[in-house]
Amino acid sequence: MKYRRKISIGLTIAVLVLQIGFVSKLVIAADTGGYPWADAAAVSPASYDWGYLACHEPMQQANVCRITRTRSGQVYHVSDPWRYALRNCTSYVAWRVHSQHGLAIPGWGNANNWDNAAQRAGYGVDASPRVGDIAVWEGQYGHVAYVVEVNADQTVNVEQYNMAGTGQFSRQSRVRAHSYIHLPIAPPAPAPVATPQPTPVAPVGADPVPPLVDPPQRTDLVSDTFKLDQRSDTTTTDYSVVRDPHTKLLAVTAVQYAETRSGRVEVSQSRASDGNTTWQSTYATLEMAHDKDMASYSFADYDSDGTLDLYQIKYKGNTSGNTEVRVLSGSTQYKQAIGGWRTNQPMHEAHEASYAVADHDGDGALDVFALQQKTALPNQKMIILSGKQNFASVVGEWDIPASSAKGQPVRIAVGDYNGDGQKDVFHIEQSPKPEQQAGTATSQSVVRVRNATTNYQDSLREWSLDEADTQLLLPVIP
């Protein structure tokens, strides 16, 4: 099926035809993307006309008020200042380029003509995307969108209008366009001459905010604090094993959230080249250090840039009253936030839930798995929060049988244990283990694998974890 083209004088539109070949799931956003004419009334949705009964001032200044359509005897003004139809993909990109780059691109016609028009206007056009480019798809009438992110595999994340023919703002990730128009980015303005400023004084009783400065590198051995065959977390630090997206090598990470040298949450990563014997780097993150039992930490590549980002799932001490998810950018050494979102789950105590991050439903967005284990309830509960919906909605919720170690410390990991394409959940539980020596006791880790195909009701396998079994956990490391 193809969308019908509307023929008019002095006004061009572009809409998506199915032959463009998008493969990523379209996300219709609740916001408008900042586009100022998102409330234009529907004149003839079948021909992609939206407009206003009054001609707005920007249209008056651009002398486009004569471009009109009539519905039920009423005349609507349907053009933006650059002579593109309101709420169409071309209008949104023209507005976005003007608002962000100060460039006017009037009269480039239908979207499939924009690459040719851009070359005639002196802009670079090729198949290599950059942030701030205009993505162009061919087809009968084509489609254009604004590039907001370039992923490691050279796919792009875009923002756009009228992708579904409804005149709405939407976002789409991990797509490829036929070509990209490179816009000139203005050089940064020269830095102003610094003038002496008085040193700010913190209010009486307020804690000073420590500067965002990396601490000295750790000199202790990784083996002094971490062993895969036991639960190594302490009252100040969470440990985990990750796989570097570039080298594919395993490394140990340590997230120290309390008693840090910098006053902020610190991230250390081991040196894979020496067999993870020493620590390679330590970074102070954007997040302030905090007491124990307030947050859980995971590493995953949120924005597909080939760098592991830090997920902080803060389940206590939030002013919102709910559990919150925050993601710090690995490409900035965790010094910038990608985003922070309030979930629909209440705050809780540390022992009442464990978390992991993975794509549950194959929509390209990383979801949050939560194993809730309140001791007052007979069962445990598995809840999955939708990454596509910014963790504000639940995409899966199941009661599952409580384990024999309920009430003991538990961490979870997610991976396909039996090769069926589903995300199984590994419970890594710490249980008491009496030693042969009288009067002493340590603990052992017990692993249970919950089967995703039965909504985590059944266990695929259960074993006690020791040095000989550590390799069994490696498939679940992202």
Side-chain angles (χ1 to χ4, degrees), residues 249-260:
L249 298 176
L250 297 179
V252 177
T253 60
V255 180
Q256 185 173 349
Y257 51 80
E259 301 175 12
T260 61

Side-chain angles (χ1 to χ4, degrees), residues 12 23 35 85 99 144-145 149 156 260 282 314 324 328 392 395 459:
T12 55
V23 297
Y35 182 68
S99 62
V144 289
E149 190 73 31
V156 295
T260 61
T282 300
K314 196 164 184 285
E324 297 177 356
L328 303 184
V395 293
S459 293

Side-chain angles (χ1 to χ4, degrees), residues 221-357:
L221 298 179
V222 175
S223 58
D224 290 342
T225 51
F226 176 82
K227 292 181 176 61
L228 186 58
D229 65 309
Q230 59 184 257
R231 185 182 177 86
S232 300
D233 294 348
T234 69
T235 57
T236 65
T237 307
D238 283 354
Y239 293 91
S240 57
V241 177
V242 299
R243 192 181 302 276
D244 187 289
H246 295 291
T247 66
K248 306 303 181 184
L249 298 176
L250 297 179
V252 177
T253 60
V255 180
Q256 185 173 349
Y257 51 80
E259 301 175 12
T260 61
R261 293 164 290 179
S262 65
R264 296 175 178 270
V265 174
E266 295 176 0
V267 173
S268 299
Q269 182 169 324
S270 66
R271 192 186 310 274
S273 60
D274 70 0
N276 297 308
T277 302
T278 60
W279 296 104
Q280 174 174 283
S281 54
T282 300
Y283 304 112
T285 74
L286 183 66
E287 291 294 328
M288 305 298 295
H290 57 80
D291 294 335
K292 60 173 292 190
D293 297 339
M294 294 186 68
S296 174
Y297 292 91
S298 296
F299 289 89
D301 188 0
Y302 174 87
D303 49 8
S304 301
D305 65 351
T307 305
L308 291 176
D309 307 305
L310 178 63
Y311 281 67
Q312 182 197 63
I313 303 171
K314 196 164 184 285
Y315 49 77
K316 199 171 183 181
N318 301 319
T319 57
S320 67
N322 282 31
T323 295
E324 297 177 356
V325 178
R326 301 168 189 172
V327 182
L328 303 184
S329 169
S331 63
T332 67
Q333 299 172 353
Y334 316 107
K335 291 175 174 56
Q336 293 183 13
I338 295 177
W341 304 273
R342 172 184 175 180
T343 75
N344 63 356
Q345 300 297 305
M347 294 189 296
H348 58 82
E349 297 299 323
H351 67 275
E352 293 181 331
S354 302
Y355 296 96
V357 176

